[in-house]
Amino acid sequence: FQDLFRKKTIKFIEEIMKALILVGGFGTRLRPLTLSVPKPLVDFANKPMILHQIEALKVIGVDEVVLAISYQPGVMLSFLKEFEAKLCIKITCSQEFEPMGTAGPLALARDKLIDESGEPFFVLNSDVICEYPLKQMVEFHRNHGGEATIMVTKVDEPSKYGVVLLDEETGQVERFVEKPKIFVGNKINAGIYLLNPNVLDRIELKPTSIEKEVFPNIASDKQLYAMVLPGFWMDIGQPKDYVTGLTLYLDSLRRNFREKLSQGVHIIGNVIIDESAQVGEGCLIGPDVAIGPGCVIEAGVRLSHCTIMRAVRIKKHACVSRSIIGWHSTVGKWARVENMTVLGEDVHISDEVYSNGGVVLPHKEIKSNILKPEIVM
């Protein structure tokens, strides 16, 4: 009987739960990586950014994900087809032909999000990486009975953000304060929402901000609640935050899924290395490094605080720190790459070359030093 009940419950959840991921536009802040693929397909910790979210949604019973997208929807869908089959989850696109802000895409996708069940749906910003406590969010939402739940996270410098003021006991949102000059609170919108379908009645089919227009209206009707996000949070939409995000993500893996981290005498701290990558003798790797599939790390290499994407070769005695090395690139012997250098796809750094914060567009060969942060066209 219990097995039957559990199966029915799981089936019920799978039938009702949907999600919309706000994919957005061109991903200019993550160039040159987004010159090769749309931003949600850029690898983070050895899998496309958006896959972290889709997998988390699938775990709690979401069976349909709508991507609100304005750029290269065909590329996104053809890439995600294999994951659609692997995860048994339906992935569709809702395409914007003009920028619709952060709320307009919900109105555009209305028919995909609403069904006869009347159940709430998730909305996520595609740049957000965290531990995705979505099950707890569903329970919190059902308990408070309001129209909408937003996830909030605590930050050290709230003056850079819009601050959410809420009742600490109930979680009811009282108001929003945009980039406060004096301290009023330290909780900000974390970019993950759970909304009842009737929230869509508040959104017109036009460019609209969910943060500045829709949520304040729901809050004024005392129908908006905030859940404080446990664990880490990072918007990884630009290189320095991407590198910081990897540190936080790997630290979370150590706490929750230690077996996913790589081990070995050549490893310091938290590191993930794809099983198909090759690592030579005398290397020192870590802390906070991700090495993707098909990579070759030759002897005597030093890597720290960096991402090495698929099919990269790091030649003997090279050193890479606080940088992102794009797909199919090469770093030459005794080269030094540091200070938020970002190499696009198929970039080749010659032997003994130094890069100090160079941002190099795809398909380039770098034969001379980059002595200060600059874009190499």
Side-chain angles (χ1 to χ4, degrees):
F1 175 74
Q2 284 182 330
D3 281 351
L4 181 65
F5 177 76
R6 196 177 78 248
K7 283 175 184 170
K8 283 190 172 179
T9 305
I10 290 168
K11 187 172 186 298
F12 176 67
I13 291 171
E14 284 180 346
E15 282 177 350
I16 63 175
M17 297 299 284
K18 296 185 179 183
L20 178 98
I21 300 179
L22 295 165
V23 172
F26 299 105
T28 51
R29 296 182 303 158
L30 257 190
R31 284 180 180 165
L33 301 169
T34 50
L35 295 173
S36 296
V37 296
K39 181 176 60 177
L41 301 185
V42 171
D43 294 325
F44 177 82
N46 292 351
K47 69 176 85 165
M49 280 185 198
I50 200 167
L51 199 55
H52 291 271
Q53 299 187 333
I54 293 173
E55 287 177 347
L57 289 164
K58 177 63 184 177
V59 164
I60 62 135
V62 169
D63 70 346
E64 184 172 350
V65 175
V66 181
L67 308 179
I69 187 169
S70 61
Y71 178 59
Q72 293 186 315
V75 175
M76 286 280 292
L77 280 181
S78 60
F79 183 90
L80 290 169
K81 274 291 170 215
E82 98 176 75
F83 299 107
E84 194 175 33
K86 197 182 290 183
L87 296 172
C88 299
I89 192 166
K90 183 180 177 185
I91 302 172
T92 60
C93 274
S94 172
Q95 187 174 5
E96 304 166 44
F97 294 98
E98 62 171 323
M100 295 290 283
T102 50
L106 278 71
L108 195 63
R110 181 188 180 100
D111 291 346
K112 294 176 184 286
L113 295 171
I114 288 187
D115 58 27
E116 65 282 356
S117 73
E119 289 295 320
F121 57 88
F122 287 99
V123 178
L124 295 86
N125 287 341
S126 68
D127 294 352
V128 168
I129 199 86
C130 64
E131 291 175 3
Y132 305 112
L134 304 180
K135 184 171 180 288
Q136 297 95 303
M137 194 177 190
V138 170
E139 290 167 2
F140 177 77
H141 183 79
R142 295 199 191 287
N143 287 338
H144 68 62
E147 284 183 30
T149 299
I150 66 174
M151 201 85 82
V152 294
T153 186
K154 295 177 183 177
V155 292
D156 294 333
E157 293 183 60
S159 61
K160 289 163 44 180
Y161 305 92
V163 172
V164 183
L165 299 182
L166 54 106
D167 182 307
E168 295 295 337
E169 283 189 21
T170 64
Q172 188 175 89
V173 175
E174 295 163 355
R175 62 192 176 99
F176 297 83
V177 182
E178 192 60 33
K179 296 182 179 175
K181 295 285 186 288
I182 58 169
F183 183 86
V184 292
N186 66 346
K187 298 180 185 74
I188 67 163
N189 181 347
I192 300 174
Y193 320 128
L194 188 56
L195 311 177
N196 287 351
N198 63 336
V199 169
L200 295 175
D201 297 334
R202 297 175 177 266
I203 305 171
E204 293 182 52
L205 186 54
K206 64 177 187 179
T208 315
S209 166
I210 199 167
E211 302 88 353
K212 295 179 181 176
E213 297 174 66
V214 179
F215 286 155
N217 287 338
I218 302 175
S220 68
D221 291 341
K222 302 192 183 319
Q223 289 293 311
L224 181 64
Y225 289 77
M227 173 181 154
V228 180
L229 178 75
F232 80 100
W233 175 89
M234 183 56 66
D235 176 331
I236 56 173
Q238 57 187 347
K240 70 179 178 62
D241 295 333
Y242 176 107
V243 171
T244 302
L246 182 66
T247 296
L248 297 171
Y249 174 83
L250 293 177
D251 185 55
S252 171
L253 278 191
R254 177 165 291 279
R255 291 195 310 274
N256 300 306
F257 303 99
R258 184 182 285 255
E259 68 281 1
K260 293 187 178 182
L261 294 173
S262 300
Q263 308 290 333
V265 293
H266 56 294
I267 289 173
I268 303 171
N270 300 332
V271 172
I272 49 171
I273 302 174
D274 187 88
E275 58 186 17
S276 65
Q278 301 171 40
V279 179
E281 292 183 4
C283 292
L284 198 54
I285 296 173
D288 305 327
V289 172
I291 299 174
C295 290
V296 177
I297 312 299
E298 295 185 3
V301 164
R302 176 73 180 104
L303 303 176
S304 65
H305 304 286
C306 64
T307 288
I308 311 296
M309 291 185 180
R310 184 181 62 254
V312 165
R313 180 178 287 267
I314 310 290
K315 294 188 176 178
K316 291 178 181 177
H317 306 293
C319 177
V320 180
S321 66
R322 299 199 178 278
S323 297
I324 304 170
I325 310 300
W327 314 268
H328 303 282
S329 293
T330 306
V331 176
K333 296 174 187 173
W334 295 100
R336 186 176 184 90
V337 174
E338 63 184 21
N339 191 25
M340 221 52 66
T341 291
V342 184
L343 305 186
E345 183 180 17
D346 184 40
V347 169
H348 303 284
I349 303 283
S350 296
D351 294 351
E352 300 180 25
V353 163
Y354 172 59
S355 173
N356 174 24
V359 174
V360 185
L361 272 62
H363 315 299
K364 301 288 177 198
E365 188 170 359
I366 304 299
K367 295 182 176 179
S368 55
N369 294 337
I370 303 170
L371 297 175
K372 63 182 193 305
E374 62 177 290
I375 297 171
V376 179
M377 307 287 280

